[in-house]
């Protein structure tokens, strides 16, 4: 038997396959209903379809290209971290977070590895292995939906905050959002999807045009270029004035509040004067700041960074309050299972690669 080559999430190719084999296009709606509404994974049991189409699907299509390498749930049962393997043996991560309010969020990866080189992040130590295809991102979503269904729970939110930079793989990310929001498919509300970017300015504007209702989170992490450049190389390409200009245009198009992530690393990003600078930078707009205490990953060199204490984070919040900028402190879920971005994949796969690449980068930076 031939190896199936078409992902079941690739609507265009499946319709083409149906038509080439003399079947009517409307059959696709039955396939769609079986896959996304009835959560059928085995094409031969889609009873609404004639046997010939079931065979056609079995011979040509695959349900998922990801295999679950491991799925670990935290002691409190709130977080499940999946380590997933792609068909070409890359490890990626997806994390389910079950909030006490009852809403369930999935954090997805959009690249295997990441090329951005943020100094505090574990993912870039894997370097960029490759972009994920849109159907691989949807495979992550479907794995979570099936996992939650077993607990009689539903997926409500998706955040693109796993491995990789969404705006460097925008075509696939865009298609995956379309599938996640399509009524006949995953059917999540656009408002319940959040894309997090390190600040690829031109794509921010494009994103605002394409998805005016979807939420945008920007990993700001520093209030001035000097500090930002020292921890996020992207600031060399898109410094804060360029970034803020694109955000201004984004807000003009969408009228939406922008979420800012601000990492709290002791002695690096947490000097109190930075809180005032942050307030100044954001005071003109509808913003929400999410303070993330630095998450340590000590099995590889993490620059000796330490998380800022809660007391200092509270002081930052007080400064922002004076400028009417709301903020929250990110409650870190799943610490016991290394649920932060890139941590688990790195632990399993990347240690040797990380050291190798990390050294190469460190060397080229010093040259
Ligand atoms: N590339 C996207 C999404 C990646 S990660 C982005 O940069 O926004 C999601 C968030 O986790 C980002 O804000 C990222 O900066 C942050 N992050 C990465 N490593 C971290 C660490 N060790 N501790 C705390 N936050 C971290």
């Amino acid at each position: 038997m031939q190896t199936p080559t078409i992902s079941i999430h690739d609507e265009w190719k499946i319709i083409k396959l149906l038509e080439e084999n003399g079947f009517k296009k409307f059959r696709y709606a039955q396939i769609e209903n079986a896959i996304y509404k009835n959560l059928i994974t085995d094409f031969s049991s889609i009873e609404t379809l004639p046997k010939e189409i079931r065979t056609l699907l079995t011979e040509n299509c695959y349900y998922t290209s990801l295999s679950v390498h491991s799925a670990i749930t935290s002691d409190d049962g709130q977080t499940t971290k999946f380590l997933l393997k792609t068909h070409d043996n890359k490890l990626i991560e997806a994390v389910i977070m079950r909030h006490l309010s009852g809403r369930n969020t999935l954090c997805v990866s959009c690249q295997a590895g990441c090329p951005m080189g943020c100094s505090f992040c574990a993912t870039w130590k894997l370097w960029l292995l490759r972009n994920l295809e849109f159907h691989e991102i949807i495979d992550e979503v479907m794995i979570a939906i099936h996992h939650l269904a077993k607990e009689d729970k539903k997926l409500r939110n998706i955040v693109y905050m796993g491995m990789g930079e969404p705006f460097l793989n925008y075509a696939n990310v865009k298609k995956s959002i379309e599938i996640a929001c399509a009524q006949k498919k995953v059917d999540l509300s656009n408002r319940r999807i959040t894309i997090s970017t390190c600040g690829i300015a031109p794509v921010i504007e494009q994103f605002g045009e394409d998805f005016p209702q979807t939420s945008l989170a920007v990993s700001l992490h520093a209030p001035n270029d000097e500090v930002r450049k020292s921890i996020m190389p992207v600031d060399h390409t898109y410094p804060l004035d360029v970034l803020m200009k694109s955000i201004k245009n984004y807000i003009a198009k969408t009228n939406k509040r922008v979420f800012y992530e601000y990492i709290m690393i002791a002695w690096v990003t947490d000097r109190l004067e930075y809180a005032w600078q942050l307030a100044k930078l954001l005071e003109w707009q509808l913003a929400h700041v999410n303070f993330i205490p630095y998450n340590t990953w000590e099995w590889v060199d993490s620059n000796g960074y330490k998380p800022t204490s809660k007391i200092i984070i509270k002081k930052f919040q007080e400064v922002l309050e004076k400028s009417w900028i709301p903020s929250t402190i990110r409650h870190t879920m799943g610490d016991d299972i290394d649920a932060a971005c890139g941590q688990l994949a790195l632990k399993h796969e990347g240690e040797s690669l990380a050291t190798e690449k990390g050294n190469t980068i460190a060397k080229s930076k010093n040259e």
Side-chain angles (χ1 to χ4, degrees):
M1 204 176 92
Q2 68 205 64
T3 320
T5 54
I6 305 172
S7 163
I8 200 64
H9 306 302
D10 201 333
E11 174 173 345
W12 186 80
K13 282 193 184 160
I14 293 175
I15 291 178
K16 192 161 163 262
L17 178 75
L18 287 171
E19 288 181 337
E20 277 170 2
N21 286 274
F23 298 107
K24 290 267 177 339
K25 205 174 156 182
F26 80 89
R27 292 290 183 189
Y28 180 72
Q30 293 173 313
I31 299 172
E32 206 173 30
N33 196 56
I35 300 298
Y36 300 106
K37 305 297 174 193
N38 298 331
L39 301 186
I40 294 175
T41 56
D42 170 13
F43 308 141
S44 63
S45 37
I46 308 181
E47 282 165 7
T48 45
L49 291 176
K51 196 161 176 301
E52 299 76 37
I53 299 187
R54 292 190 231 170
T55 311
L56 185 71
L57 291 182
T58 309
E59 282 174 357
N60 294 280
C61 305
Y62 55 87
Y63 178 75
T64 182
S65 65
L66 300 179
S67 58
V68 179
H69 184 270
S70 63
I72 316 165
T73 299
S74 58
D75 293 341
D76 61 12
Q78 272 186 277
T79 312
T80 301
K81 180 145 190 168
F82 296 93
L83 193 56
L84 306 169
K85 201 175 230 175
T86 61
H87 67 90
D88 54 350
N89 292 325
K90 310 281 183 265
L91 287 176
I92 57 164
E93 303 168 1
V95 184
I96 295 178
M97 289 162 282
R98 301 170 189 80
H99 296 274
L100 295 175
S101 60
R103 87 195 134 88
N104 301 304
T105 300
L106 178 70
C107 173
V108 291
S109 294
C110 61
Q111 296 182 311
C114 182
M116 298 315 304
C118 302
S119 63
F120 46 80
C121 181
T123 307
W124 80 277
K125 296 270 177 179
L126 293 167
W127 204 232
L128 177 63
L129 305 173
R130 70 170 169 81
N131 280 337
L132 295 185
E133 298 290 333
F134 73 91
H135 49 81
E136 295 179 293
I137 302 174
I138 295 299
D139 287 342
E140 296 177 56
V141 173
M142 294 311 288
I143 286 171
I145 287 178
H146 281 268
H147 192 90
L148 286 166
K150 283 190 219 138
E151 303 165 10
D152 218 10
K153 291 192 169 91
K154 283 203 157 146
L155 181 66
R156 184 171 175 267
N157 299 66
I158 300 178
V159 294
Y160 286 69
M161 292 186 184
M163 297 167 76
E165 169 48 48
F167 288 171
L168 286 188
N169 184 17
Y170 186 58
N172 284 301
V173 164
K174 183 176 171 190
K175 259 182 142 172
S176 71
I177 302 173
E178 285 161 0
I179 296 175
C181 296
Q183 249 180 20
K184 290 187 172 164
K185 299 185 195 278
V186 182
D187 195 18
L188 297 184
S189 153
N190 263 291
R191 293 170 200 278
R192 291 179 178 164
I193 296 193
T194 304
I195 309 289
S196 178
T197 177
C198 64
I200 312 290
V203 190
I204 290 179
E205 295 188 38
Q206 183 61 47
F207 173 70
E209 240 159 64
D210 295 337
F211 301 104
Q213 298 192 329
T214 307
S215 299
L216 173 71
V218 176
S219 296
L220 190 63
H221 299 330
N224 62 58
D225 284 318
E226 196 191 342
V227 179
R228 199 161 190 267
K229 277 191 177 68
S230 74
I231 55 174
M232 299 180 74
V234 67
D235 197 80
H236 290 276
T237 318
Y238 303 113
L240 285 173
D241 58 340
V242 177
L243 179 60
M244 286 300 148
K245 203 168 151 225
S246 71
I247 291 174
K248 207 172 201 162
N249 293 338
Y250 168 86
I251 295 174
K253 271 180 206 137
T254 63
N255 209 14
K256 269 184 82 79
R257 186 184 291 275
V258 174
F259 295 86
Y260 290 93
E261 290 143 304
Y262 191 102
I263 193 164
M264 292 303 263
I265 311 174
W267 310 109
V268 179
T269 61
D270 69 350
R271 282 164 59 172
L272 202 55
E273 64 187 271
Y274 297 160
W276 292 102
Q277 291 175 13
L278 184 63
K280 186 111 200 70
L281 189 69
L282 304 181
E283 66 189 358
W284 57 272
Q285 54 172 289
L286 265 183
H288 181 109
V289 176
N290 208 337
F291 290 107
I292 322 177
Y294 170 69
N295 210 309
T296 13
W297 32 276
E298 282 168 346
W299 58 94
V300 285
D301 170 32
S302 59
N303 303 313
Y305 290 161
K306 296 269 176 293
T308 297
S309 70
K310 276 261 159 69
I311 303 170
I312 295 182
I313 303 181
K314 286 256 182 271
K315 285 199 174 138
F316 264 62
Q317 285 196 295
E318 281 162 23
V319 171
L320 292 192
E321 253 167 51
K322 290 192 178 110
S323 301
W324 305 99
I325 301 170
S327 67
T328 37
I329 303 177
R330 184 176 293 172
H331 154 67
T332 42
M333 287 174 109
D335 274 356
D336 56 326
I337 55 165
D338 298 320
C341 171
Q343 292 195 350
L344 199 65
L346 182 62
K347 208 169 187 173
H348 279 257
E349 182 180 52
E351 286 194 55
S352 55
L353 182 66
T355 323
E356 205 180 287
K357 293 282 181 197
N359 287 345
T360 319
I361 294 154
K363 233 169 105 194
S364 62
K365 272 187 183 159
N366 293 336
E367 275 163 10

